[in-house]
C-alpha cells in the first residue's frame, strides 16, 4: 500500500516513467534526520502530552476532544517532517544479468562414445533438436541429418531446442549475456529484449570449436570483472570442465561465491577415459622393386585399450576396379594395443607382384567406443618397378668376394652385370660374357649404370678423369657406389683422389690391422638399430626372423679399421668389441652424397655366408644391397621431390617445405612455387627459395594453417617433366586440448558446489530453469531528489491542520 502511494506521489510530482525492463522505487529521505532517541522522545512525548491535555479539557465530548488531539498530533508530526527536510528519492531498478558461458575450445568437436546405448540415443536426440531443419526441394522442412554428436553440438542444442526456449525464458526476467570461452571470454550475444533472440540463435548456431586452449577459470574471472557493477544473478556454464592453462575453475568459483554468484554447470562429454587407436608416421620406400620385401612401418598409439588385441591390415586400392574406393587386403597381423602414452612401432611386410604406382593403406580395425576412427588409417603411394639394374663390379684381383658376388649377380634375372677385373689379361673380356676390357672412359658410358661396386681396386689403373666421373656419377646422376675393403688398396690408396669424397668415413685415422701386425679373431658384426630396420638385412619376413637368421650366419675373419665416420653417415653394422672414436667400430655404413648414396663394407668375406645355405641369404643380401643403392637414382627419374618436415602439425606451428632436385642439372633458375590446398577449400601459394650453399634444394615456411587435411603440389617449372611432386600433411589442435579429453566431471561438480549452484548432465538439464535463483531488481540510477518539506502542498497541509484545530476549539469555546 505504501509503495503504491509513493508511486502515485512520484507520478503526481512529474517523475519520468520507467523504460522497458526498468521499475521505480520511490522512498522518503530526510536530509536533516533527527537522532533516533530524540525523534522517539519528541514524537512519543508530544502524543502523550497532547492526549493528557485534551483528556483534561471540558466542554466537549470525548470523541470531539480526541479528534482535536489527532489534528494537533498531525500538525506536530508534520512540523517534525518539515524540520527533517524530507525529500522524495526515486531509484530506478532494472533486470539482473544472467551469463551463459559456452566452451568453444577445440575439444568441443569430440564426439564421445558412451557405454550405455540409452545415454547415447538420448544425447543424439537432444542434439537433433538443436540442429536446423533441412528444406526439401518442395519447400517442406525435413528433420535434420543425423550424425555423431559433438560436445559443442550438445551445448548448442541445450540453448536452441524448442525454438530457443531456454534463452526466451531467461530473457523475460534477466538481461542475458552469452559468452564464448576458450583461451578467453568473448561476448557473443546480448539478449535484452525478445527481439534480440533470433540474432542470438544465429550466433550460437554459428559457433565453431576452434579455441586453442581452455582457460575456464580465467574466463569466469574475466566475466565477473566486466560485470562487477552489477554481478550476474547466476552463471550457466556449458563445458567439459577441462582447463588446460591458467587458474582452475574451482578457484574461480570461490571468487564467484564471495560475490554471491552461483554457477550452474552442465557437463558436456563422457567422464570415462577416452578410447582411441591412432596410426602415425608411416615409413615406406617411395620406389621398390617387384618381389622386394617392402616394409610398411607405422607408429601405433592407443588410449584405453591397453593389451587388447588389435588387427592391422595392409590394403591396396584395386587397380582393376573402376571404383577407387574398392580395396583389397594384402597382409594382416594381430598385435596387442600399447599402454596409454607408450606408442610402439608395428611393421607389415609385403612383396608386390605388379608394377606401376600402387596406393597402399595401413589400417587398424575400429574398436568399440573409439572416440574417432579417422586416424585409424594412413595411405601412401609407392612406385613398383620391374626393370634390370645395371651394375658394374670392379676389382683388382679375383678374390673370393669378387668371385661369389660376380657369379650370383650374373645369374640374377633382375641384374644386368658388367665386370672389370683390373689385373686380368686382355683376352679375359673376350672369354667372359660379363667382362669389360677397361673401366668406362666417358661419363655417358658410366652413367648408363645404376650401381658401381668397387672392390680392392688399384687407383693406378684408373685415371683422374675416370675417378672424377665416378664421383659425379654419385653426386650428380644419383647413382650408388659400394666400396668393399681390401687388404691392398681399398680404401687407403684413395686418399687425395676424387673418390675420397665418396667415402662415408675419414681416412686420416683408418688402417689395416693385419698390415700393422695385429691378429684379427673371428667375429660376427652386430646390427645397429638402423641396421635391423634396413631392407639390406631383411633375411626373413619380419625383423625378428631376420635377426635369428643373422645370428646364425658364419663368422668373419678380417675387417678394416675406419674409426671415425663422417657426420652424415649412418652405421648399419659394427664390430662387437673393437671401438672407434664414436663407439663401436663401424663395419657397414653409408651416406647420401649429392643426389646419390655411397656405402662401405669394412670386410670382404660375405661369401662365407654360403656355408650350408648356398645363395639363400648371401644372394638376398647382395640383391637387396644393390636395390638399396639404386633407389636414389630411380627416384631421381621423378626429377623433383616435395616434402614437409612432418606429417602432422599443431595449429599455430610453422610448416616447413623442402623441394629437392636429385639431378642438380635440372634445378630451375629463380624461386619455386608450392600450391597448398585444404580439403574442401581454396588453395594458397608459397614461395620456396634456394638454400644458401646448395645447388638443388629449395625451402620455405608456411607460418601457420587452420586445422584440417592438406595437399601440396609443386607448380612445375618449365624444365620439369613427368609426375608433379606432391605431399600431404595434417594440422591438428594443440596437444593440450586432446591430451586429456574425458570430461572433468569432478571439477564441474566442485565448482557448482563451491559457488552454491548445481551440476547437471545434459539429459537432466531440463530442471535448470526452475533451479535458478529468483531474480531481484538491481539498482541502475537515482533521479535528483524532489523537495517535500518546503513545498506549498506540505505547508498548506500544515496550515490547514492548525487552522482547523483552532476553528473547532473556538466553536466549543475551548481556550
Amino acid at each position: 500500500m505504501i509503495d503504491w502511494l509513493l508511486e502515485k506521489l512520484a507520478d503526481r510530482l512529474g517523475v519520468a516513467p520507467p523504460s522497458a525492463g526498468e521499475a521505480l522505487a520511490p522512498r522518503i529521505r530526510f536530509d536533516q534526520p533527527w537522532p533516533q532517541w530524540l525523534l522517539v522522545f519528541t514524537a512519543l512525548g508530544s502524543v502523550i502530552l497532547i492526549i493528557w491535555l485534551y483528556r483534561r479539557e471540558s466542554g466537549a465530548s470525548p470523541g470531539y476532544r480526541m479528534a482535536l488531539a489527532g489534528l494537533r498530533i498531525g500538525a506536530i508530526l508534520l512540523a517534525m517532517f518539515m524540520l527533517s527536510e524530507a525529500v522524495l528519492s526515486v531509484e530506478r531498478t532494472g533486470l539482473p544479468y544472467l551469463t551463459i558461458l559456452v566452451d568453444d575450445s577445440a575439444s568441443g568437436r569430440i564426439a564421445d562414445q558412451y557405454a550405455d546405448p540409452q545415454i547415447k540415443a538420448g544425447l543424439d536426440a537432444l542434439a537433433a533438436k538443436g540442429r536446423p531443419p533441412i528444406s526439401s526441394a518442395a519447400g517442406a522442412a525435413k528433420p535434420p541429418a543425423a550424425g555423431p554428436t559433438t560436445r559443442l553440438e550438445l551445448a548448442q542444442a541445450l540453448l536452441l531446442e524448442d525454438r530457443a526456449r531456454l534463452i526466451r525464458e531467461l530473457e523475460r526476467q534477466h538481461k542475458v549475456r552469452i559468452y564464448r570461452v576458450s583461451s578467453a571470454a568473448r561476448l557473443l550475444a546480448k539478449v535484452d529484449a525478445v527481439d534480440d533472440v533470433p540474432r542470438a540463435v544465429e550466433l550460437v548456431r554459428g559457433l565453431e570449436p576452434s579455441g586453442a586452449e581452455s582457460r575456464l577459470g580465467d574466463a569466469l574471472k574475466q566475466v565477473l570483472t566486466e560485470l562487477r557493477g552489477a554481478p550476474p544473478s547466476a552463471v550457466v556454464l556449458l563445458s567439459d570442465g577441462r582447463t588446460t592453462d591458467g587458474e582452475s575453475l574451482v578457484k574461480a568459483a570461490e571468487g564467484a561465491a564471495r560475490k554471491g554468484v552461483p554457477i550452474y554447470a552442465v557437463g558436456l562429454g563422457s567422464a570415462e577415459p577416452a578410447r582411441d587407436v591412432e596410426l602415425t608416421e608411416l615409413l615406406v620406400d617411395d620406389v621398390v622393386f617387384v618381389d622386394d620385401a617392402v616394409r610398411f612401418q607405422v607408429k601405433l598409439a592407443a588410449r584405453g585399450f591397453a593389451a587388447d588385441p588389435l588387427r592391422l591390415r595392409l590394403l591396396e586400392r584395386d587397380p582393376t576396379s573402376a571404383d577407387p574406393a574398392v580395396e583389397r587386403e594384402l597382409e594382416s597381423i594381430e598385435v596387442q594395443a600399447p599402454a596409454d602414452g607408450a606408442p610402439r612401432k608395428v611393421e607389415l611386410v609385403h612383396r608386390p607382384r605388379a608394377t606401376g604406382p600402387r596406393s597402399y593403406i595401413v589400417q587398424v580395425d575400429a574398436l568399440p567406443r573409439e572416440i574417432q576412427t579417422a586416424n585409424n588409417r594412413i595411405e601412401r603411394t609407392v612406385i613398383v618397378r620391374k626393370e634390370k639394374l645395371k651394375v658394374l663390379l670392379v676389382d683388382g684381383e679375383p678374390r673370393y668376394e669378387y668371385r661369389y658376388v660376380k657369379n650370383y649377380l650374373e645369374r640374377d634375372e633382375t641384374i644386368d652385370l658388367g665386370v672389370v677385373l683390373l689385373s686380368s689379361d686382355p683376352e679375359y673380356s673376350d672369354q667372359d660374357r660379363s667382362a669389360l676390357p677397361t673401366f668406362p672412359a666417358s661419363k655417358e658410358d658410366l652413367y648408363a649404370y645404376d650401381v658401381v661396386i668397387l672392390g680392392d681396386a688399384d687407383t693406378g689403373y684408373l685415371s683422374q678423369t675416370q675417378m672424377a666421373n665416378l664421383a659425379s656419377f654419385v653426386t650428380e646422376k644419383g647413382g650408388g657406389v659400394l666400396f668393399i675393403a681390401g687388404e691392398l688398396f681399398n680404401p687407403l690408396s684413395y686418399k687425395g683422389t676424387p673418390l675420397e669424397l665418396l667415402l662415408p668415413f675419414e681416412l686420416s685415422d683408418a688402417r689395416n690391422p693385419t698390415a700393422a701386425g695385429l691378429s684379427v679373431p673371428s667375429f660376427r658384426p652386430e646390427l645397429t638399430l638402423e641396421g635391423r630396420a634396413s631392407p639390406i638385412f631383411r633375411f626373413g619376413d619380419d625383423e625378428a626372423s631376420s635377426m635369428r637368421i643373422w645370428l646364425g650366419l658364419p663368422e668373419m675373419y678380417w675387417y678394416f679399421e675406419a674409426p671415425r665416420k663422417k657426420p652424415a653417415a649412418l652405421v648399419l653394422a659394427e664390430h662387437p668389441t673393437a671401438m672407434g672414436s664414436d663407439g663401436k667400430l663401424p663395419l657397414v655404413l653409408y651416406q647420401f652424397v649429392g643426389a646419390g648414396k655411397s656405402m662401405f663394407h669394412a670386410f670382404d668375406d660375405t661369401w662365407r655366408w654360403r656355408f650350408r645355405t648356398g645363395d639363400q641369404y648371401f644372394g638376398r643380401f647382395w640383391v637387396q644391397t644393390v636395390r638399396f643403392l639404386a633407389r636414389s637414382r630411380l627416384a631421381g627419374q621423378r626429377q623433383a621431390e616435395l616434402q614437409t618436415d612432418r606429417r602432422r602439425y599443431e595449429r599455430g606451428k610453422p610448416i616447413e617445405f623442402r623441394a629437392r632436385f636429385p639431378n642438380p642439372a635440372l634445378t630451375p633458375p629463380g624461386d619455386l612455387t608450392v600450391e597448398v590446398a585444404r580439403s574442401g577449400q581454396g588453395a594458397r601459394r608459397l614461395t620456396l627459395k634456394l638454400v644458401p650453399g646448395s645447388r638443388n634444394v629449395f625451402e620455405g615456411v608456411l607460418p601457420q594453417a587452420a586445422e584440417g587435411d592438406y595437399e601440396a603440389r609443386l607448380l612445375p617449372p618449365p624444365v620439369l617433366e613427368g609426375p608433379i611432386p606432391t605431399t600431404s600433411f595434417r594440422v591438428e589442435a594443440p596437444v593440450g586440448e586432446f591430451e586429456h579429453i574425458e570430461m572433468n566431471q569432478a571439477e564441474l561438480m566442485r565448482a557448482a558446489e563451491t559457488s552454491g549452484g548445481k551440476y547437471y548432465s545434459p539429459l537432466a538439464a531440463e530442471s535448470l530453469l526452475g533451479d535458478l535463483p529468483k531474480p531481484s531488481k538491481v539498482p541502475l540510477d537515482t533521479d535528483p531528489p524532489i523537495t517535500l518539506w518546503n513545498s506549498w502542498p506540505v505547508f498548506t497541509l500544515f496550515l490547514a491542520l492548525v487552522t482547523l484545530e483552532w476553528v473547532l476549539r473556538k466553536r466549543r469555546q475551548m481556550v
Side-chain angles (χ1 to χ4, degrees):
M1 181 64 178
I2 295 177
D3 290 341
W4 179 81
L5 291 174
L6 290 175
E7 289 174 5
K8 290 297 183 182
L9 175 62
D11 185 50
R12 295 288 295 179
L13 294 176
V15 174
S19 304
E22 293 183 355
L24 299 181
R27 64 186 181 89
I28 302 297
R29 193 183 78 223
F30 300 98
D31 287 345
Q32 298 294 332
W34 293 22
Q36 189 172 4
W37 66 270
L38 181 59
L39 177 65
V40 174
F41 177 79
T42 303
L44 189 57
S46 298
V47 170
I48 293 173
L49 179 61
I50 292 170
I51 293 175
W52 180 75
L53 290 174
Y54 270 105
R55 284 175 63 89
R56 295 185 61 192
E57 290 277 358
S58 60
S61 65
Y64 195 87
R65 283 179 289 165
M66 287 301 104
L68 292 174
L71 290 174
R72 178 72 60 86
I73 291 171
I76 290 176
L77 293 179
L78 189 56
M80 294 174 64
F81 179 84
M82 296 169 66
L83 290 173
S84 299
E85 298 186 7
V87 296
L88 180 66
S89 175
V90 180
E91 190 176 63
R92 295 181 181 271
T93 61
L95 296 176
Y97 286 102
L98 186 139
T99 59
I100 301 175
L101 309 185
V102 183
D103 187 346
D104 71 334
S105 62
S107 61
R109 71 165 180 255
I110 295 173
D112 295 85
Q113 302 295 321
Y114 298 87
D116 189 339
Q118 292 184 346
I119 293 179
K120 182 180 186 303
L123 293 176
D124 288 342
L126 174 62
K129 294 179 182 178
R131 297 188 182 109
I134 302 172
S135 298
S136 66
K142 299 189 298 182
T149 301
T150 66
R151 295 177 180 180
L152 181 59
E153 285 176 340
L154 281 178
Q156 292 168 321
L158 289 168
L159 296 177
L160 304 181
E161 67 167 328
D162 194 12
R163 298 177 61 250
R165 182 176 67 90
L166 178 63
I167 298 177
R168 293 179 187 276
E169 290 292 334
L170 292 175
E171 179 273 330
R172 292 180 181 178
Q173 301 184 64
H174 302 84
K175 289 184 177 180
V176 181
R177 298 292 181 265
I178 304 176
Y179 288 83
R180 49 189 295 191
V181 295
S182 50
S183 56
R186 289 153 292 174
L187 182 61
L188 181 68
K190 295 181 179 180
V191 184
D192 294 335
V194 69
D195 293 340
D196 299 329
V197 174
R199 177 58 178 165
V201 168
E202 180 183 346
L203 293 171
V204 170
R205 185 164 283 145
L207 278 175
E208 292 289 340
S210 58
E213 54 187 353
S214 296
R215 304 174 69 99
L216 299 180
D218 292 345
L220 177 59
K221 285 182 62 177
Q222 178 188 337
V223 170
L224 295 179
T225 301
E226 291 179 1
L227 301 176
R228 60 184 177 272
S233 61
V235 171
V236 177
L237 174 62
L238 309 176
S239 172
D240 57 17
R242 281 289 169 192
T243 297
T244 60
D245 199 3
E247 188 171 285
S248 72
L249 182 58
V250 171
K251 187 70 174 177
E254 294 174 359
R258 288 192 292 270
K259 296 182 179 182
V261 181
I263 298 172
Y264 293 82
V266 181
L268 306 177
S270 172
E272 298 179 1
R275 296 162 61 90
D276 189 31
V277 178
E278 180 182 22
L279 296 179
T280 60
E281 300 180 19
L282 174 59
L283 300 178
V284 62
D285 289 324
D286 293 334
V287 180
V288 299
F289 297 91
V290 170
D291 206 34
D292 254 357
V294 182
R295 300 166 58 245
F296 295 83
Q297 191 176 78
V298 68
K299 184 179 287 187
L300 172 66
R303 284 185 291 182
F305 294 106
D308 285 2
L310 302 178
R311 174 63 62 176
L312 267 76
R313 305 179 191 274
L314 177 65
L315 310 174
E316 180 186 23
R317 296 200 183 278
D318 192 348
T320 63
S321 173
D323 185 358
V326 176
E327 301 167 352
R328 58 191 180 98
E329 182 175 324
L330 303 176
E331 313 285 346
S332 72
I333 59 172
E334 186 173 290
V335 298
Q336 283 190 338
D340 294 6
R344 57 174 290 193
K345 290 184 178 179
V346 182
E347 183 179 287
L348 293 101
V349 179
H350 171 65
R351 296 183 181 273
R353 307 296 180 187
T355 62
R358 321 295 292 187
S359 294
Y360 294 103
I361 302 106
V362 177
Q363 173 181 292
V364 58
D365 289 353
L367 296 178
R369 294 165 47 213
E370 259 198 272
I371 197 73
Q372 56 179 333
T373 56
N375 56 1
N376 284 32
R377 53 190 278 142
I378 305 180
E379 182 172 351
R380 292 286 184 274
T381 298
V382 177
I383 298 175
V384 183
R385 297 183 180 275
K386 185 178 183 180
E387 54 191 60
K388 283 196 170 187
L389 296 177
K390 294 201 66 176
V391 179
L392 178 62
L393 174 62
V394 183
D395 214 322
E397 299 288 341
R399 53 182 179 159
Y400 284 118
E401 191 81 338
Y402 165 82
R403 294 177 187 177
Y404 285 109
V405 172
K406 173 181 179 295
N407 289 339
Y408 181 80
L409 295 182
E410 278 181 332
R411 298 194 306 271
D412 191 281
E413 62 180 12
T414 66
I415 304 293
D416 182 4
L417 182 67
V419 299
V420 175
L421 188 61
L422 298 177
S423 63
S424 64
D425 296 332
E427 298 83 12
Y428 177 64
S429 61
D430 297 328
Q431 300 169 357
D432 191 303
R433 61 185 177 89
S434 302
L436 302 175
T438 60
F439 189 88
S442 67
K443 275 188 177 182
E444 290 74 15
D445 292 339
L446 181 60
Y447 284 8
Y449 292 93
D450 298 300
V451 176
V452 174
I453 302 175
L454 195 62
D456 198 16
D458 184 357
T459 55
Y461 287 93
L462 301 175
S463 67
Q464 287 291 321
T465 300
Q466 287 174 315
M467 289 188 284
N469 288 346
L470 181 55
S472 63
F473 163 75
V474 178
T475 59
E476 296 182 9
K477 196 63 177 176
V481 63
L482 168 63
F483 296 90
I484 305 176
E487 298 192 42
L488 300 177
F489 305 105
N490 190 348
L492 291 176
S493 66
Y494 301 159
K495 187 176 181 62
T497 70
L499 300 182
E500 185 177 6
L501 169 70
L502 302 181
L503 293 170
F505 59 90
E506 302 293 348
L507 271 176
S508 56
D509 300 326
R511 67 170 184 170
N512 179 358
T514 57
L518 302 176
S519 62
V520 177
S522 63
F523 66 95
R524 178 179 291 107
E526 289 184 353
L527 297 183
T528 63
L529 290 175
E530 291 81 5
R532 288 196 290 270
S534 172
I536 294 176
F537 298 98
R538 183 48 56 97
F539 299 107
D541 290 334
D542 54 39
E543 187 174 315
S545 62
S546 296
M547 279 302 299
R548 288 194 296 270
I549 294 169
W550 172 259
L551 295 175
L553 294 177
E555 294 182 328
M556 298 181 173
Y557 294 88
W558 178 84
Y559 65 87
F560 181 86
E561 287 187 9
R564 189 153 56 96
K565 71 180 186 67
K566 290 180 178 177
L570 288 175
V571 178
L572 302 182
E574 55 195 13
H575 197 282
T577 57
M579 302 301 292
S581 59
D582 299 318
K584 291 184 177 180
L585 191 72
L587 298 179
V588 178
L589 64 165
Y590 78 96
Q591 67 177 355
F592 286 91
V593 188
K597 297 175 187 172
S598 68
M599 179 177 285
F600 180 73
H601 286 183
F603 45 76
D604 64 349
D605 41 6
T606 61
W607 56 272
R608 299 181 187 275
W609 296 347
R610 301 183 71 257
F611 181 66
R612 292 183 178 175
T613 59
D615 292 331
Q616 182 177 1
Y617 304 126
F618 171 81
R620 184 171 293 180
F621 170 81
W622 277 100
V623 168
Q624 291 173 170
T625 298
V626 168
R627 290 179 174 179
F628 175 78
L629 292 171
R631 203 158 276 130
S632 293
R633 178 178 170 88
L634 295 177
Q637 292 178 6
R638 291 179 297 169
Q639 299 187 1
E641 301 169 351
L642 180 64
Q643 297 175 331
T644 54
D645 59 325
R646 299 176 57 195
R647 292 287 188 182
R648 306 171 81 90
Y649 298 88
E650 289 184 7
R651 186 184 62 251
K653 299 294 185 182
I655 300 159
E656 299 180 10
F657 288 84
R658 183 174 184 266
R660 174 176 171 268
F661 290 81
N663 184 356
L666 296 179
T667 303
D671 299 334
L672 298 179
T673 301
V674 172
E675 191 174 76
V676 184
R678 182 183 177 189
S679 297
Q681 296 191 8
R684 53 177 166 170
R685 295 189 174 187
L686 174 69
T687 299
L688 305 187
K689 295 185 176 294
L690 188 66
V691 175
S694 172
R695 295 176 53 195
N696 62 334
V697 178
F698 295 77
E699 291 182 350
V701 176
L702 189 65
Q704 59 181 344
E707 297 163 27
D709 295 306
Y710 288 81
E711 191 79 22
R713 67 188 189 102
L714 183 66
L715 296 184
V719 298
L720 188 64
E721 300 177 355
I724 296 175
T726 62
T727 189
S728 59
F729 60 93
R730 180 177 177 81
V731 178
E732 300 176 336
V735 68
E737 276 298 297
F738 294 96
E739 188 172 5
H740 300 286
I741 59 177
E742 60 271 18
M743 176 183 62
N744 194 346
Q745 182 175 338
E747 182 87 350
L748 292 171
M749 294 180 73
R750 286 198 301 271
E753 182 181 358
T754 300
S755 63
K758 192 175 179 180
Y759 169 81
Y760 305 86
S761 71
L763 296 179
E766 291 182 355
S767 61
L768 187 149
L769 270 175
D771 294 337
L772 291 174
K774 185 177 180 180
S776 58
K777 300 289 186 177
V778 296
L780 302 177
D781 197 6
T782 302
D783 288 2
I786 301 174
T787 304
L788 299 178
W789 66 276
N790 65 347
S791 63
W792 280 109
V794 174
F795 184 67
T796 301
L797 177 61
F798 178 78
L799 289 179
L801 291 174
V802 173
T803 303
L804 181 59
E805 181 195 10
W806 182 80
V807 171
L808 292 177
R809 286 177 63 84
K810 284 295 184 181
R811 288 185 63 184
R812 294 292 182 178
Q813 298 179 353
M814 299 174 68
V815 178

